[in-house]
Amino acid sequence: EGASRSPAAMWGMLCGCGWSARAADKLLLLIALVAFASLAQQVRGVLGADGIEAVGETLLGFANWKAPDFAPAQVFRVLPTLLWWAPKTGLPFETALEVLLLVGTCTALLGIALGGSTLLFLVLWGVYLSVFVSGGTMLSFQWDMLLLEALFAAALHAPLLPEVATAFLRRWLWPSLGAKPGAGMSQAVAVAESAPPSTHSVSARWLLRALLVKLMLMAGAVKIQSQCPTWLGLTALAVHFQGQCLP
């Protein structure tokens, strides 16, 4: 449910303005927090050992079909989830899944407090990917894929380190190394801050734009391809929101 709000988080990243990009990062981190926290509340009933679609049975069934000797590295290449290493730690699959959701929730909270960064968004993307590919039917919706795509694109767009870490390095670490923040350093900082966006930043921004175009294009195309008379007759919105599978 939280992941379905990802399009709103993209808008601020697209214009290239510093303040709006930071606000969009925060919004995307909030969406990730809602996605992880809400799933953590439901995981035992949905993906637990006695749930609707037990994650342990799903993964072991896939492993027995693909790799009877159950080599985690071998099956990871086909189904990339960290849960393959759960038996190595002695944890049941559903408990390891809860740990992943807790890690995702705490990482999103940390990002909201300190600011987004490339490393933080990559951690969120990797953890949610592990949850997504092991969730089977229950996590096979377009908004789950959209959240994954948005997190990866944000990792390319965000600064390498959070703002708090950058401020700490500038104010405390640099002087502690024996360097004096004199005119030379101030000039270097001013030049860095006034420099035009790098090719990497511009490319990441275009990737976000492409993701938004893909979202709107595919959302419309799938409705036309469904051959549903209400969509083709432009009357579907009268009942669409009442009939969603996950309102």
Side-chain angles (χ1 to χ4, degrees), residues 143-160:
W143 39 79
D144 295 299
M145 292 179 275
L146 176 62
L147 181 57
L148 279 172
E149 293 169 337
L151 288 172
F152 188 79
L156 299 179
H157 186 273
L160 183 61

Side-chain angles (χ1 to χ4, degrees), residues 14-103:
L14 300 181
C15 72
C17 304
W19 67 268
S20 60
R22 287 192 294 271
D25 282 348
K26 296 276 189 180
L27 180 56
L28 183 57
L29 288 166
L30 180 61
I31 292 168
L33 173 63
V34 172
F36 280 112
S38 62
L39 184 56
Q41 297 295 318
Q42 310 169 56
V43 66
R44 286 206 171 262
V46 175
L47 299 173
D50 299 320
I52 299 172
E53 191 173 7
V55 64
E57 294 180 7
T58 301
L59 292 178
L60 288 177
F62 178 85
N64 291 332
W65 168 66
K66 195 72 179 177
D69 57 346
F70 189 64
Q74 183 178 352
V75 288
F76 180 83
R77 290 195 295 267
V78 183
L79 202 67
T81 174
L82 296 174
L83 292 180
W84 291 124
W85 282 270
K88 301 284 186 182
T89 65
L91 293 176
F93 283 110
E94 53 269 18
T95 304
L97 180 58
E98 289 180 316
V99 171
L100 283 179
L101 293 171
L102 179 61
V103 170

Side-chain angles (χ1 to χ4, degrees), residues 60 74 105-106 122 129 152 165 168 185:
L60 288 177
Q74 183 178 352
T105 301
C106 293
L122 284 178
L129 178 64
F152 188 79
F168 172 81
M185 181 184 176

Side-chain angles (χ1 to χ4, degrees), residues 93-143:
F93 283 110
E94 53 269 18
T95 304
L97 180 58
E98 289 180 316
V99 171
L100 283 179
L101 293 171
L102 179 61
V103 170
T105 301
C106 293
T107 304
L109 281 171
L110 185 66
I112 292 172
L114 301 182
S117 67
T118 295
L119 185 59
L120 188 139
F121 278 119
L122 284 178
V123 170
L124 287 173
W125 174 79
V127 173
Y128 201 77
L129 178 64
S130 292
V131 175
F132 169 74
V133 300
S134 57
T137 307
M138 307 308 297
L139 289 176
S140 62
F141 295 95
Q142 64 269 30
W143 39 79

